Amino acid sequence: MVKGRIFSGMQPSGNFHLGNYLGALSNWVKLQHEYECFFCIVDWHALTSSFEDPSRLPDYIHNMALDWLSAGLDPEKNRIFIQSHVKEHAELHLLLSMMTPLSWLERVPTYKDKLQQLGEQGKDINTYGFLGYPVLMTADIILYKADTVPVGEDQLPHLELAREMVRRFNFIYKQEVFPEPKGYIGAAPVVPGIDGRKMSKSYGNEIPFAASPEELRARVRLMVTDPQRIKRTDPGRPEICPVFTFHKLYSPAELGEIETDCRNAGIGCVDCKKRLAEHMVEALADIHHRRQDWAARPNDVKDILENGAKRARETAQATMEQVRSVMHMG
Ligand code: AQP
C-alpha cells in the first residue's frame, strides 16, 4: 500500500552536485518504493534567476534527467517530467498569486539573502518572478495534491509558506481542495561544500555529481577541515569537520575508528581525506556507469520526459478542473 503522494523538483540551473544528491535525490530513490511520486525538472524556476541567458537550459535539463535516471529513479514507476511541459503549473501559479499577501513573500528568509548574494555577483533579480518563486513552488506541489515533499533543509521556509497558502485557499473557498504538504528531511539535511558552507552552485564550492574519480579526489583534497587542527599532532573535532560529515555518509563501517583517530590525532587530515575519496569513488562508480549508458540513449531520455509529462498532466488537469470550479472560473 502506498504511504501517500510525493512531489519534488530541482532547478536545472547548473551542474548537479552532491548536495542535491545527498540532500534530496538519494531520498527520492529510496521513497519511490513507498510513495506515488512526481519528480519535476523545474525549468521555470531556473528562469527566475537566469532569465537573461536561457541558452544553456536544454543542456542542463538533459543532464539533470541523466543524473536522476543514473541515480536509480524508475521512469515507469514515477512521473519524471519538465515543469514547462505541464502548463497547468503556470495557471495555478497565477491564481494563487491573486491571494498571496506580499508581506508573506517578502519575509521568506531566502528571498533577501539570495537577492543580496546575487546582487554582489552583479546580477539584478529584483523581479516579480523571483519574489513569486515560493508561489510557483506551492503551485508545483499542490497541483498534484502531494502530501510529502522530500527536500534539503534550505527549502523548509518555502514549504512552510506552501502550507500557509493551502490553509488560506481552503479557507477562502470553503472547501478542503488541497492537503497541507509536509517536508521530508533525510539523513543529510545540509551537505557542506568544500569550503564548509552549504554546498551550492552559486558559491562554487560544489563537488559535481558526475565528477570523474580524478576530479572527485581533487575536490576532496581541497576540502577545509577543523581550523584548529594546524599541526598533524593537533587533536581534531569531527563534529565541526565537513570531511567527517561525508564520512558519516560514505564510511559507515569505519566511522567509529575515524572519529577516534581524528580526536587522538591518530590520523592526519590528508590521509583522512584520501580514505573518504576512495569510499566516494567506489560508492559512485555504478551510478557513473549507468550515466554513460543513459547518455548513449538521448531519444529514450526524451521519451521518458514526454511520457512523464503526459501522465503528470492527467492529474494536473483534474486538479485544475476542481480549482476553476471553486473559483467560479467556468
Ligand atoms: N547543500 C545542500 N544540502 C542539502 N540539500 C541541498 N539541496 C541543495 N543544496 C543542498 C537540495 O537540493 C534540491 C534541489 O534544489 P534546487 O534545485 O533549488 O537547487 P538549489 O537550492 O538551487 O541548489 P544550489 O546549488 O543551492 O543552487 P543555488 O546556488 O543556485 O541556490 C532541494 O531539495 C535542495 O534543498
Side-chain angles (χ1 to χ4, degrees):
M1 205 185 81
V2 289
K3 282 189 185 165
R5 188 177 279 176
I6 277 180
F7 175 93
S8 199
M10 292 195 194
Q11 302 183 69
S13 55
N15 288 332
F16 191 72
H17 56 64
L18 277 185
N20 302 134
Y21 174 64
L22 298 166
L25 180 60
S26 62
N27 295 321
W28 300 4
V29 173
K30 199 172 64 189
L31 296 170
Q32 67 180 332
H33 305 293
E34 299 165 30
Y35 289 79
E36 184 188 9
C37 298
F38 294 74
F39 296 125
C40 186
I41 299 178
V42 290
D43 52 347
W44 280 330
H45 278 278
L47 283 183
T48 60
S49 50
S50 62
F51 59 92
E52 282 162 317
D53 180 14
S55 61
R56 298 180 70 185
L57 258 183
D59 237 22
Y60 288 149
I61 290 173
H62 179 67
N63 278 311
M64 181 161 271
L66 294 183
D67 291 326
W68 290 8
L69 292 166
S70 58
L73 283 191
D74 180 344
E76 300 287 325
K77 198 187 266 269
N78 309 295
R79 281 96 167 157
I80 300 177
F81 62 103
I82 301 172
Q83 182 186 36
S84 64
H85 288 186
V86 182
K87 307 296 181 203
E88 284 77 6
H89 286 254
E91 183 182 357
L92 186 55
H93 170 240
L94 176 87
L95 295 176
L96 292 179
S97 74
M98 304 302 168
M99 64 198 78
T100 309
L102 263 185
S103 58
W104 287 14
L105 298 176
E106 284 162 346
R107 71 163 195 239
V108 174
T110 46
Y111 172 64
K112 286 213 168 85
D113 289 355
K114 199 149 183 178
L115 259 192
Q116 188 190 346
Q117 181 196 321
L118 291 183
E120 283 162 9
Q121 295 171 16
K123 233 180 187 181
D124 181 7
I125 47 165
N126 216 338
T127 59
Y128 174 59
F130 182 64
L131 179 67
Y133 182 111
V135 184
L136 182 55
M137 180 167 154
T138 302
D140 297 339
I141 297 166
I142 70 177
L143 185 57
Y144 302 99
K145 301 195 178 184
D147 47 50
T148 307
V149 187
V151 282
E153 200 175 81
D154 58 328
Q155 293 294 330
L156 288 181
H158 293 156
L159 215 50
E160 202 40 56
L161 191 120
R163 292 162 62 79
E164 273 182 288
M165 301 234 9
V166 162
R167 288 196 287 272
R168 187 166 168 86
F169 186 98
N170 290 345
F171 175 78
I172 293 173
Y173 300 108
K174 299 179 185 60
Q175 267 191 53
E176 292 295 306
V177 176
F178 297 114
E180 276 185 44
K182 59 183 186 312
Y184 176 100
I185 300 286
V190 186
V191 178
I194 61 167
D195 61 358
R197 294 185 292 172
K198 184 201 134 196
M199 190 179 290
S200 183
K201 278 164 236 141
S202 38
Y203 293 151
N205 63 358
E206 70 270 31
I207 302 179
F209 179 64
S212 66
E214 293 66 40
E215 238 183 298
L216 250 176
R217 291 186 185 103
R219 293 300 276 171
V220 172
R221 213 178 301 128
L222 288 174
M223 275 177 102
V224 297
T225 53
D226 177 356
Q228 278 182 25
R229 225 187 151 190
I230 297 161
K231 295 196 298 297
R232 165 71 180 78
T233 48
D234 291 336
R237 294 170 299 168
E239 66 278 7
I240 59 130
C241 179
V243 177
F244 190 70
T245 304
F246 280 93
H247 271 303
K248 282 193 205 153
L249 300 163
Y250 285 104
S251 320
E254 295 171 20
L255 202 61
E257 181 193 329
I258 290 166
E259 182 171 5
T260 311
D261 283 352
C262 174
R263 288 195 197 284
N264 300 337
I267 186 173
C269 294
V270 173
D271 288 334
C272 185
K273 288 181 192 178
K274 276 189 188 152
R275 268 165 90 166
L276 170 66
E278 291 320 307
H279 288 154
M280 290 172 78
V281 167
E282 197 187 315
L284 292 166
D286 282 351
I287 294 179
H288 288 170
H289 286 136
R290 283 200 294 270
R291 200 176 192 283
Q292 281 166 1
D293 293 343
W294 280 112
R297 299 162 52 193
N299 288 335
D300 290 347
V301 174
K302 201 164 158 259
D303 288 349
I304 285 169
L305 294 174
E306 273 172 17
N307 190 259
K310 196 167 148 229
R311 288 162 65 209
R313 220 175 282 129
E314 287 165 13
T315 310
Q317 283 171 351
T319 304
M320 285 318 296
E321 272 176 32
Q322 198 186 356
V323 169
R324 288 183 211 116
S325 158
V326 298
M327 293 183 75
H328 300 277
M329 302 302 297

